[in-house]
Amino acid sequence: MSQYLHLLSNTSSPTPLDVWAPSGKYIKPQVLDQYAVGYFKNLKDGDYSLEVESYYKSVKNRIDYIDGANLIANDAIERVILNGKAGAYGFELLFRKNEGRLKGWLAYTLSKSEQKTEGRSPNETGINNNSWYNTAYDKTHDISVTSSYDVSNKWKANANFIFQTGQPTTYPNGQYVYNGIVIPNYSDRNSTRLTSYNRLDVSATYTPKPRKKEGWQSYWVFSIYNLYNRKNATSISFAQNEDTGRNEATRLAIFGIIPSVSYNFKF
Amino acid sequence: MKKILYMLTLSIFIFSCEDVVEVTVPNAPPRLVIEASLNWFDGTSGENQTIKLTQSAPFFNNQVSPATGATVTVSNESNIVFSFVDNNLDGNYECTNFAPNLNETYTLNIIYNNETYVGSETMTSVTPIDFIEQKNDGGFSGEAIEIKAYYTDPAEEENYYFFEFKEEHETNPFLNVYDDEFINGNQIFAFYSNEDTAPGHELIIKNYGVSEQFYDFMFLLLQQSDSAGGGPFEVQPATVRGNCINVTNPDHFPFGYFRASQATEFIYIIE
C-alpha cells in the first residue's frame, strides 16, 4: 500500500500541531507492507465469538522532525525533516458475548510500534543516534472492556473500561545551570513513557416508550465519564518553579470526572 | 453556533488542570558544563574574565556542583595563551591579563578528568542600548510594567543579540535572543516584563553581540527551559549541544557554550 500524505506531529505538546505534508519533489510517498493472520470462531451457536489476529507492518519513507526544528510558519517543511522507516507488530484478541441480557466484549492488544530515522550522511546523528525508537503512539498493552445490561424494557446500563500503557514521551535525564538559568537536559526522543491511562465510564439509557416504533421516538442518556476521576496525564512538562527555585514535573490532565445528561430523539 | 463553541472552549478550561506530580526520570551520568563567556564590556579593558565550569546533575537535585581541578586556557590567533585559574576552588576560573580584540578568533582548551575539551569562537561586536522606555499599563491586566530597551541595528551586517535582564530581588536573570532578519538597520527594542517588577527596583540590562550559532543554541535552550514548556509550535525536546567538543572521548560531549562577545550594560531604576 502507498500513502501520499504524511502526518507530522509534535506530540509532546499538549496542543499538538499536526502538519499534513503531501508527497512531492522532496518527500517520497510512504510505502507499506502489511501481513496479518487471523482466526475467528463462533462458540455456543454464536452466543460468544472469539477473534485472534496478529500483524506485522513495515513502512518505508516514514518522515520525522529533526531535533530543534522550527515549526512556526515554516513553508519549507522538507528542510526540517528526515526520511526514515517504521515497523509495527502486534497481537489482538477480541472476545464477544453477543446474546442475552448482558452483552459486551473484551479486547486486548499487545503491540509494538517503532521507527528509525537516520542522518543523511555518516556525520549526521539522525534521531537518537540512528537507533530504533518508539513512535509517539506506541502502546504496549491496550485493554478495553465494554458491556451493556438490559435492566428492564425501559432501562439499560452500560459500562466501559479502558486501560492503556502510557504514551511515549521525552523526559529529562539531568539538569545543568547555564548563564544563571536551570536547563533540563532531555534524554532520547520517546524513550520514556507517561503513566498508564485508564478510566471507567458508566451510563444508563432510559427509553420512556420502548414500543413506539414510529413518529416521535426519544430516549435519555445519563452518563459519567471517568467515574473515579483519574487524572490521566496528557503531558508532563519539566521546569524550575520560579518561587521555590526547585525543579518540578507538572502534569496536565484534561478530563476528570464529567457527568452528562443527553436527550435524543428521532422522528 | 458561536455560543456552542464558546461553551466548548470554556469546558476545556474548567475540566483540565495542571498539578505538580512525582515522576521518576532517568539519570544520566554527569557531564562537564562549560559556561565560557568572554565579555568585553564598553569602556573596560576586558582584562578580567571568568570561565565557569560545573557538572550536570540529576533533574530533581537542588543544586549542581562545580567542576574543579581543570586546566583552562584560551588562545588567540597569534597563539598567545591566556591561563584561567580556579583560585577559590569553586569552579570559577579567572584570568586577569586577557586581551580582547574584535573579530579575533579564540580557542578554548580545557583538560578535565584527563579528557580534553575544545571550542572556538570569534569576538562579535554589539550596538549600545540607546534608551529605555517604560510603560505601566501593559499586559492583559493593563497594570503590568513593561520595559523596552531600544538599540539600533547596523544595516550592513547580520547581527545577533543576546539580552540579559537582571532585576533586583530576582534570583534568575531573564534572557532572550534576537536576530535582525526582519528589523535590519532599524531601531528596535528588547522586551522585559515581569509580574513582580516594582518601582525603585534596579534593573541591569546587558546586551551581548553573539554569533548565529550561539543564537540558535540559546534559542533552543530557552525554549526547552521555559516554564511554559511544550508550546504548540515546538518539537520534542532533545539534548542541545554547544560549540565545544570532547576530543578524547567524543561521546562524552560537554554542555554549554564558548562565547566571545563585545557587551554593553545599562542600569535602569524602575519608575
Side-chain angles (χ1 to χ4, degrees):
Chain A
M1 277 195 282
S2 299
Q3 186 179 319
Y4 300 94
L5 211 51
H6 303 255
L7 171 65
L8 278 161
S9 183
N10 58 339
T11 38
S12 68
S13 118
T15 48
L17 175 82
D18 289 352
V19 174
W20 291 92
S23 300
K25 198 172 169 187
Y26 304 106
I27 306 175
K28 290 185 201 155
Q30 250 184 54
V31 183
L32 170 135
D33 289 321
Q34 179 162 338
Y35 312 92
V37 202
Y39 177 77
F40 177 86
K41 189 166 170 61
N42 276 331
L43 304 162
K44 288 199 174 173
D45 297 332
D47 284 2
Y48 299 90
S49 59
L50 179 72
E51 291 169 42
V52 183
E53 194 182 275
S54 69
Y55 64 91
Y56 174 80
K57 201 160 93 167
S58 76
V59 182
K60 267 192 260 177
N61 303 329
R62 158 88 196 158
I63 54 176
D64 203 356
Y65 284 122
I66 58 168
D67 289 335
N70 182 9
L71 311 186
I72 302 175
N74 194 331
D75 54 4
I77 209 85
E78 61 275 2
R79 290 168 58 185
V80 294
I81 56 172
L82 278 175
N83 200 347
K85 52 188 173 180
Y89 49 92
F91 168 82
E92 292 176 335
L93 185 138
L94 178 66
F95 179 74
R96 240 200 272 246
K97 183 173 186 296
N98 302 317
E99 298 297 328
R101 287 177 80 177
L102 177 72
K103 292 196 201 82
W105 70 77
L106 182 149
Y108 171 69
T109 304
L110 174 71
S111 65
K112 178 88 193 151
S113 164
E114 52 187 1
Q115 66 188 99
K116 180 175 163 128
T117 313
E118 293 180 318
R120 294 164 303 176
S121 69
N123 291 333
E124 289 188 352
T125 53
I127 292 165
N128 294 355
N129 281 319
N130 297 336
S131 51
W132 285 94
Y133 58 98
N134 294 325
T135 62
Y137 28 82
D138 175 53
K139 291 170 187 160
T140 313
H141 303 287
D142 185 341
I143 303 167
S144 69
V145 184
T146 303
S147 60
S148 74
Y149 183 72
D150 296 328
V151 183
S152 66
N153 271 345
K154 292 183 175 178
W155 285 94
K156 196 174 164 184
N158 291 286
N160 175 17
F161 174 76
I162 292 171
F163 175 92
Q164 292 171 346
T165 306
Q167 278 199 331
T169 185
T170 310
Y171 282 175
N173 62 6
Q175 63 163 332
Y176 57 96
V177 175
Y178 181 78
N179 215 110
I181 59 171
V182 172
I183 316 278
N185 180 61
Y186 286 89
S187 53
D188 285 349
R189 185 179 296 184
N190 293 347
S191 61
T192 44
R193 283 177 189 279
L194 297 174
T195 46
S196 64
Y197 178 98
N198 61 72
R199 64 163 217 264
L200 175 68
D201 309 333
V202 291
S203 72
T205 309
Y206 174 64
T207 317
K209 292 171 185 161
R211 280 181 186 74
K212 198 176 175 190
K213 292 293 173 217
E214 54 192 30
W216 188 270
Q217 302 161 55
S218 65
Y219 60 95
W220 291 83
V221 180
F222 307 92
S223 69
I224 303 175
Y225 175 95
N226 198 353
L227 183 69
Y228 48 84
N229 195 18
R230 182 180 157 86
K231 290 179 175 166
N232 287 305
T234 305
S235 71
I236 293 185
S237 56
F238 295 87
Q240 188 189 26
N241 181 322
E242 282 173 22
D243 297 325
T244 62
R246 295 182 70 108
N247 285 341
E248 284 178 350
T250 309
R251 169 176 69 184
L252 175 72
I254 295 186
F255 294 112
I257 184 167
I258 302 178
S260 73
V261 177
S262 68
Y263 176 69
N264 301 265
F265 58 86
K266 56 182 178 180
F267 53 87
Chain B
M1 189 62 202
K2 240 182 177 170
K3 227 174 194 174
I4 295 172
L5 267 178
Y6 176 73
M7 298 274 281
L8 270 175
T9 321
L10 197 73
S11 67
I12 287 177
F13 281 114
I14 291 172
F15 292 112
S16 70
C17 58
E18 283 194 330
D19 55 355
V20 173
V21 288
E22 295 271 323
V23 290
T24 316
V25 295
N27 270 339
R31 289 179 189 276
L32 179 66
V33 182
I34 300 172
E35 189 180 329
S37 308
L38 305 178
N39 298 319
W40 182 20
F41 281 96
D42 281 357
T44 66
S45 63
E47 282 174 346
N48 295 315
Q49 296 293 344
T50 304
I51 287 174
K52 202 170 167 181
L53 299 183
T54 52
Q55 296 178 69
S56 62
F59 183 71
F60 289 112
N61 273 23
N62 281 334
Q63 57 195 35
V64 296
S65 39
T68 52
T71 310
V72 182
T73 56
V74 171
S75 52
N76 65 10
E77 284 169 13
S78 29
N79 286 324
I80 295 174
V81 178
F82 304 98
S83 296
F84 286 70
V85 185
D86 187 6
N87 292 316
N88 303 322
L89 297 173
D90 58 357
N92 289 316
Y93 295 77
E94 285 152 13
C95 173
T96 49
N97 62 346
F98 186 71
N101 262 321
L102 211 53
N103 299 324
E104 176 148 10
T105 301
Y106 295 91
T107 306
L108 172 74
N109 193 300
I110 296 172
I111 301 166
Y112 177 65
N113 281 352
N114 299 321
E115 291 182 351
T116 305
Y117 299 84
V118 295
S120 70
E121 185 71 314
T122 304
M123 174 110 10
T124 312
S125 66
V126 76
T127 50
I129 294 168
D130 300 336
F131 62 93
I132 306 292
E133 190 182 271
Q134 181 178 343
K135 214 172 127 184
N136 290 342
D137 57 353
F140 287 118
S141 61
E143 290 165 4
I145 296 179
E146 292 179 354
I147 304 291
K148 289 175 179 176
Y150 281 85
Y151 60 96
T152 309
D153 179 71
E156 58 284 354
E157 50 198 81
E158 231 179 274
N159 301 92
Y160 299 90
Y161 303 95
F162 174 43
F163 270 87
E164 184 181 315
F165 291 85
K166 181 83 171 70
E167 188 178 333
E168 204 181 337
H169 306 304
E170 289 286 327
T171 36
N172 293 344
F174 174 89
L175 309 176
N176 215 339
V177 282
Y178 296 92
D179 67 358
D180 68 351
E181 186 181 355
F182 301 114
I183 51 110
N184 193 27
N186 289 301
Q187 190 176 55
I188 192 73
F189 59 84
F191 182 79
Y192 173 78
S193 179
N194 176 1
E195 57 183 18
D196 298 325
T197 299
H201 282 186
E202 185 184 77
L203 178 68
I204 301 173
I205 306 166
K206 290 173 181 165
N207 181 15
Y208 307 95
V210 296
S211 62
E212 182 180 3
Q213 198 183 9
F214 180 83
Y215 170 85
D216 290 338
F217 167 80
M218 204 63 205
F219 187 87
L220 289 174
L221 220 57
L222 289 171
Q223 201 174 48
Q224 295 192 5
S225 67
D226 189 3
S227 51
F233 301 110
E234 292 169 18
V235 285
Q236 287 95 332
T239 298
V240 184
R241 289 170 68 164
N243 62 347
C244 301
I245 55 166
N246 182 334
V247 285
T248 317
N249 177 8
D251 286 336
H252 195 227
F253 57 85
F255 295 135
Y257 202 93
F258 173 47
R259 172 168 70 76
S261 305
Q262 203 185 25
T264 172
E265 189 183 56
F266 199 108
I267 297 172
Y268 179 76
I269 308 292
I270 311 244
E271 290 162 0

